[in-house]
Amino acid sequence: MHELAQTVLNSDEKVALRQLISTLGTSGKRYLLRNEILQAFGDYCQQTEKPAYFFHVSGLGKLINYTHEIILEEESTWFLVRPWIASQEVWRLGADMESFERMTPQALLNVRDRIVNRFQPQILEIDLEPFYQGSPRIDDARNVGQGLAFLNHYLCSQLETDPEHWLEVLFQVLHRLEYDGLPLLISDRITSGKELVEQVKAALTILNQRSPQETYDKFRFDLQALGLEPGWGNTASRVRETLELFNRLIDNPEPGVVEAFVARIPAIFRVTLISIHGWVGQEGVAGKPETAGQVMYVIEQARNLEKKLREEIKLAGLDLLGIKPHVIILTRLIPNCEGTACDMRLEKLQGSDNAWILRVPFAEHNLQVTQNWISKYEIWPYLDHFALEAEKQLLAEFRGRPNLIIGNYSDGNLVASLLARRLKATQCNIAHALEKPKNLFSNLYWQDLEERYHFSAQFTADLISMNAADFIIASSYQEIVGTPDSIGQYESYKCFTMPSLYHVVDGIDLFNPKFNVVPPGVNENIFFAPSQTGNRDDNCRSQICQTLFTREDPQILGNLKDPKKRPIFAIAPIDAIKNLTRLTECFSKSPELQEHCNLILLTSKLHPDQTTHPEQAEEIAKLHELINHYHLEGKIRWLGLRLSNLDLGETYRAIADYQGIFVHFAHFEPFGRTILEAMISGLPTFATQFGGVSEIIEDKDVFLINPTDLEGTTQKIVQFLETCDRIPEYWQETSQRVIERIQNKFNWDSHCKQLLLIAKIYKFWDFAIPENREARMRYLETLYHLVFKPRAAEILEKHSHIKSE
């Protein structure tokens, strides 16, 4: 980067750089982000009539295209550049335009503090980097998020380097496996790795004389005489395959063999999924608007994990011993539950044999708060006591310790880290969406936002839990490290400031193999293609069509002049990030779209007085204004309804019956549950290019849209619709492609298989090659007690003054 900058400073482009910085200064802003920088540079190139190549391939063009932030000070200009994904460098250009020097992250954090007039010469610095030194590390940014594959290759290389040592390590790992005191795989009769190899060969001799279909109970005692306990398989052929995999792993270790062998190890029987603030239930609940996606994800994940564990236990032959999986969703009990089951301590998960929702109440404190639902921004003071009480109840329900604890969202992940530490369980974190990157400058101006959002507690909790976790599941690669044009959600925690509170010099190692991309699935019993007529309920179909197109209701706005037009369908909470107002504006300003289509919006609210959130009320009011201003009566239908999952599935299919399209117009979308639902229901889907959606949608040139570019978005949609009109089969062909895309790439069976495999690998990894874990955990405990808990205590103090109306 220094060489590139010097090329600019030693050429005529230096003048252009000076003029650009001067132009940026006239904007009145001192802190500029990538979009503003590129826009300003593009305007400068146009105004100064630079040749077309200058924007991209000139020295200055390259420098600007690497730049993600510029901070203007009187004596210098600061550049945050990303030469490649997940790599950030800080450079300072002197006012004399001569010196261009690399600076430390600490220097950048000081500058950011000065920008908001909150600089302190001495401040707490949080640096996790020393605790990852010496740990195996991914060296190519393209492989970030492939921790499982990395560890498989690494373990193979270690087995080849020192096979005798690693045979003993493998023996120790397998010898530790048990279920409630019942030894699995290996008994005490086998005392070393070398002896295990000999006994495996003897077992294979026995099994080669048995019928492949012979069940395990017929030859169980023969294997136990050799020191081989249950868990190798349920039939002679299955046991033989597993033992042969073990032999191959010892003789010729390959990543595929490691994965295949570890997948068969019976190591996980009890799983806890934690989702605390989400109003978790099954009938008439499915989360509040801010958590509906998270709740549906957790319920589907739990149901499918229990199913997958049941399959694995049966294949291992352990069902013959009465062993069965036990999965618990841990959430909070809400006494004032508005007629739902959220005040029920224990609720069985529908469609499962042994999966449950366990609800634990918050400590009483102020009953005006703790007996009601609590927003994700206000929940922090209650998590410490919740974790202690939840530990007791989990141990009672499981009658043992969980093997795997999966946290969801910031609060659930923090509790997962507390429980996993105490229960010595493997910890998995799933963020769903991290608030810091969603809310621009939320860390820089945290003090101004603290009264409403309490970001200081949340961001500290995120740092603690993501570093405490054994592994992290992300739905997309971009969630971790972003794209060349955008910083990833986890990457945003790498280096940031909370002025007057602390500086994070190095918050997370993005190249650590704890990161794994494992996209979620979709419930194919609810969301499926409209052509599956045998699975559709005619009565439900008729009612949904009436609701969408003709029914009059106080919670429905608009009567369609021509209900047979293709519908543009959008479903989202009505907030600024989901951007339904801009979608409506896009439709309002396009006669072509109005000629081809009706716009149908599905939200949970229709009027400003139905929400207590000022931002939501503002968005609802703005949407009403747009409808009136552009005279959209007869062209738009807005449903302020909460639909059940079954009704929602039929809603997507009803839109597909009219050969409609789905549009997701969000400013940013980490992944997009509704996108999966719409696509598997057969709807061609246009979705925001910002976030992880590009990893769902295949035909990016056609279906990825820029929600800030209304004209470009309109053009893409109109071109698609005109092609559908011109080629009758085009819509159907597109519909079939998106259905197959989701079925093949985003299904719960694959998700659960991968998640359990990762958990087993990390259990082995933690034993075989322990990181500097205890020191890191002690460091994180210090942050928890000295930073997080005081921030949470301030929220509790505020809650103590809330009185009944």
Side-chain angles (χ1 to χ4, degrees):
M1 191 55 60
H2 184 267
E3 183 178 344
L4 176 60
Q6 288 303 316
T7 300
V8 173
L9 296 177
N10 294 330
S11 69
D12 294 341
E13 294 180 15
K14 178 178 180 178
V15 175
L17 176 57
R18 187 190 302 275
Q19 291 172 342
L20 175 61
I21 291 173
S22 177
T23 300
L24 292 173
T26 61
S27 68
K29 295 183 177 181
R30 297 174 62 197
Y31 199 144
L32 297 108
L33 298 180
R34 181 171 177 76
N35 282 343
E36 298 168 310
I37 297 165
L38 290 176
Q39 183 64 50
F41 184 51
D43 292 344
Y44 168 80
C45 291
Q46 186 175 12
Q47 291 166 7
T48 56
E49 298 182 347
K50 297 292 184 186
Y53 75 87
F54 194 83
F55 184 86
H56 292 289
V57 299
S58 68
L60 180 57
K62 291 177 181 178
L63 176 62
I64 294 302
N65 276 280
Y66 286 137
T67 300
H68 281 252
E69 295 179 11
I70 287 179
I71 299 177
L72 303 173
E73 290 196 301
E74 288 186 11
E75 298 301 321
S76 54
T77 302
W78 295 74
F79 291 78
L80 177 67
V81 298
R82 269 173 108 228
W84 51 84
I85 283 179
S87 174
Q88 299 181 21
E89 298 177 2
V90 183
W91 295 84
R92 184 178 67 182
L93 176 66
D96 57 4
M97 302 291 289
E98 297 293 336
S99 61
F100 191 77
E101 56 182 332
R102 180 101 179 246
M103 305 299 291
T104 64
Q106 290 92 330
L108 176 66
L109 298 177
N110 286 334
V111 172
R112 288 172 173 166
D113 286 356
R114 288 199 294 269
I115 285 292
V116 294
N117 298 317
R118 285 174 177 153
F119 170 72
Q120 291 183 351
Q122 292 185 330
I123 191 170
L124 171 64
E125 286 189 351
I126 297 173
D127 186 357
L128 275 299
E129 193 271 338
F131 300 105
Y132 291 99
Q133 288 179 354
S135 299
R137 197 167 184 267
I138 294 170
D139 57 8
D140 188 336
R142 291 171 295 183
N143 295 327
V144 167
Q146 299 180 36
L148 174 64
F150 173 83
L151 291 184
N152 285 344
H153 281 87
Y154 187 86
L155 290 170
C156 286
S157 69
Q158 296 297 306
L159 282 165
E160 290 176 338
T161 302
D162 190 353
E164 290 186 6
H165 167 73
W166 283 98
L167 174 59
E168 292 305 314
V169 170
L170 182 59
F171 164 74
Q172 292 294 335
V173 171
L174 298 180
H175 189 247
R176 295 172 68 198
L177 293 175
E178 54 86 26
Y179 178 84
D180 288 352
L182 177 71
L184 302 177
L185 297 186
I186 303 172
S187 73
D188 291 338
R189 294 186 181 188
I190 300 176
T191 59
S192 70
K194 289 183 179 179
E195 189 178 347
L196 174 60
V197 170
E198 294 302 316
Q199 299 301 73
V200 165
K201 290 178 181 177
L204 286 171
T205 301
I206 294 173
L207 291 167
N208 287 332
Q209 300 170 9
R210 302 277 181 167
S211 166
Q213 289 76 36
E214 189 170 350
T215 57
Y216 173 72
D217 58 308
K218 299 293 196 320
F219 54 86
R220 169 184 177 181
F221 297 113
D222 294 332
L223 296 189
Q224 285 184 308
L226 297 173
L228 299 180
E229 294 293 337
W232 294 97
N234 61 337
T235 64
S237 63
R238 179 81 180 181
V239 174
R240 185 168 58 246
E241 288 171 8
T242 308
L243 294 176
E244 286 173 347
L245 281 170
F246 173 81
N247 273 344
R248 288 179 60 190
L249 183 61
I250 301 305
D251 296 336
N252 185 26
E254 296 177 350
V257 176
V258 173
E259 187 167 313
F261 178 72
V262 172
R264 294 184 178 216
I265 292 176
I268 298 174
F269 306 97
R270 301 182 177 106
V271 181
T272 300
L273 301 89
I274 306 177
S275 178
I276 300 172
H277 70 277
W279 198 258
V280 179
Q282 299 179 87
E283 297 295 336
V285 186
K288 290 282 187 179
E290 71 178 35
T291 61
Q294 177 193 148
V295 171
M296 292 179 69
Y297 180 109
V298 172
I299 286 176
E300 286 303 316
Q301 187 185 58
R303 185 182 289 120
N304 284 278
L305 274 174
E306 193 257 359
K307 177 184 176 184
K308 180 58 67 177
L309 283 170
R310 215 179 327 127
E311 293 173 1
E312 290 191 356
I313 288 170
K314 182 177 181 179
L315 288 172
L318 297 178
D319 59 328
L320 299 173
L321 306 180
I323 295 175
K324 60 182 180 179
H326 195 170
V327 175
I328 290 177
I329 298 173
L330 175 64
T331 187
R332 62 169 296 232
L333 186 146
I334 307 174
N336 296 336
C337 63
E338 301 178 18
T340 70
C342 289
D343 62 343
M344 183 187 300
R345 178 183 175 274
L346 199 62
E347 180 184 1
K348 188 172 184 182
L349 203 60
Q350 297 166 5
S352 75
D353 285 352
N354 199 25
W356 303 79
I357 301 173
L358 173 65
R359 300 183 178 92
V360 175
F362 281 169
E364 289 187 354
H365 295 292
N366 185 345
L367 296 181
Q368 300 305 321
V369 176
T370 56
Q371 290 200 344
N372 299 294
W373 177 75
I374 301 175
S375 163
K376 61 186 177 183
Y377 301 119
E378 304 280 339
I379 202 168
W380 306 106
Y382 308 102
L383 300 183
D384 193 63
H385 181 277
F386 176 86
L388 292 173
E389 183 61 30
E391 178 185 354
K392 299 174 190 174
Q393 297 202 30
L394 283 173
L395 290 172
E397 290 299 322
F398 280 135
R399 298 180 183 177
R401 298 174 185 268
N403 311 114
L404 174 62
I405 297 177
I406 304 172
N408 289 270
Y409 198 71
S410 298
D411 49 357
N413 284 327
L414 182 66
V415 171
S417 68
L418 297 174
L419 287 173
R421 175 88 164 137
R422 293 174 60 88
L423 297 173
K424 294 180 172 53
T426 301
Q427 179 190 347
C428 166
N429 275 20
I430 303 177
H432 297 287
L434 291 160
E435 293 294 325
K436 191 170 86 64
K438 278 174 60 179
N439 296 272
L440 194 61
F441 294 132
S442 52
N443 61 290
L444 200 59
Y445 294 98
W446 71 271
Q447 286 149 303
D448 301 329
L449 303 169
E450 190 73 353
E451 181 68 20
R452 177 180 294 181
Y453 297 113
H454 307 292
F455 285 140
S456 64
Q458 181 162 7
F459 299 167
T460 306
D462 287 335
L463 279 174
I464 292 169
S465 61
M466 68 177 63
N467 283 284
D470 293 285
F471 66 97
I472 296 172
I473 292 296
S475 294
S476 68
Y477 173 83
Q478 294 183 43
E479 185 179 334
I480 307 169
V481 290
T483 70
D485 294 318
S486 63
I487 289 174
Q489 291 190 61
Y490 282 98
E491 186 182 358
S492 74
Y493 284 78
K494 180 74 174 172
C495 179
F496 68 95
T497 174
M498 301 285 283
S500 303
L501 184 62
Y502 56 67
H503 282 174
V504 176
V505 177
D506 197 318
I508 185 70
D509 183 1
L510 301 168
F511 291 83
N512 189 281
K514 72 167 58 184
F515 284 102
N516 288 271
V517 176
V518 185
V522 61
N523 188 337
E524 295 184 41
N525 294 318
I526 294 175
F527 304 101
F528 53 84
S531 58
Q532 294 177 226
T533 53
N535 296 331
R536 299 180 71 175
D537 183 300
D538 289 339
N539 185 50
C540 176
R541 183 177 183 176
S542 174
Q543 290 181 355
I544 289 297
C545 281
Q546 291 176 27
T547 299
L548 284 173
F549 302 112
T550 59
R551 189 182 106 198
E552 293 192 5
D553 188 284
Q555 285 302 112
I556 299 176
L557 176 69
N559 293 303
L560 299 177
K561 184 178 180 181
D562 184 359
K564 294 184 179 180
K565 282 185 179 180
R566 289 186 197 272
I568 296 175
F569 180 56
I571 174 174
I574 189 154
D575 57 38
I577 289 176
K578 297 304 182 184
N579 207 26
L580 290 179
T581 52
R582 287 286 279 174
L583 171 60
T584 305
E585 186 178 350
C586 182
F587 180 77
S588 302
K589 293 181 176 179
S590 172
E592 295 94 339
L593 285 180
Q594 294 176 37
E595 179 184 348
H596 283 89
C597 304
N598 293 313
L599 178 62
I600 300 180
L601 306 177
L602 176 59
T603 69
S604 59
K605 298 177 177 66
L606 187 64
H607 303 290
D609 59 5
Q610 293 174 332
T611 178
T612 58
H613 294 283
E615 292 176 359
Q616 283 189 353
E618 184 179 339
E619 286 295 300
I620 294 172
K622 191 185 300 182
L623 195 46
H624 280 285
E625 290 172 10
L626 285 168
I627 293 170
N628 293 330
H629 179 75
Y630 287 99
H631 307 292
L632 295 181
E633 176 59 35
K635 304 172 184 178
I636 188 172
R637 194 159 162 87
W638 177 7
L639 289 69
L641 304 171
R642 292 294 301 274
L643 300 182
S644 69
N645 283 343
L646 290 174
D647 286 346
L648 182 57
E650 190 55 44
T651 297
Y652 288 118
R653 290 187 289 275
I655 299 293
D657 288 337
Y658 282 74
Q659 295 202 342
I661 62 173
F662 182 74
V663 179
H664 191 82
F665 216 69
H667 287 299
F668 176 84
E669 181 56 62
F671 191 70
R673 172 184 57 84
T674 58
I675 294 169
L676 297 183
E677 294 171 354
M679 290 175 69
I680 203 168
S681 302
L683 287 176
T685 296
F686 292 82
T688 178
Q689 68 187 42
F690 302 117
V693 178
S694 62
E695 295 176 40
I696 302 176
I697 290 177
E698 276 189 300
D699 197 343
K700 297 172 177 50
D701 291 338
V702 175
F703 294 106
L704 281 186
I705 56 176
N706 181 348
T708 65
D709 179 8
L710 298 189
E711 185 176 336
T713 296
T714 298
Q715 186 177 1
K716 281 191 173 187
I717 296 176
V718 169
Q719 284 177 350
F720 174 78
L721 296 174
E722 288 178 344
T723 304
C724 290
D725 290 343
R726 190 173 66 255
I727 306 172
E729 64 273 17
Y730 183 68
W731 186 95
Q732 193 61 51
E733 291 171 354
T734 304
S735 173
Q736 188 58 37
R737 280 200 307 273
V738 300
I739 291 170
E740 292 172 358
R741 169 70 174 170
I742 304 305
Q743 288 176 334
N744 294 335
K745 296 291 184 180
F746 304 95
N747 61 79
W748 281 115
D749 183 73
S750 173
H751 172 96
C752 293
K753 179 181 179 181
Q754 192 79 346
L755 190 152
L756 291 173
L757 175 59
I758 292 168
K760 293 174 186 178
I761 284 285
Y762 279 88
K763 284 175 75 72
F764 175 77
W765 176 261
D766 191 45
F767 177 82
I769 311 177
E771 295 183 288
N772 191 6
R773 184 170 178 79
E774 185 58 30
R776 184 171 77 237
M777 294 303 294
R778 290 294 185 186
Y779 185 83
L780 296 173
E781 284 177 353
T782 302
L783 293 180
Y784 178 75
H785 287 285
L786 299 185
V787 180
F788 171 79
K789 290 188 75 171
R791 304 310 307 173
E794 290 190 10
I795 305 172
L796 187 62
E797 173 62 22
K798 186 188 78 169
H799 287 181
S800 69
H801 299 297
I802 296 176
K803 293 184 172 60
S804 176
E805 294 181 0

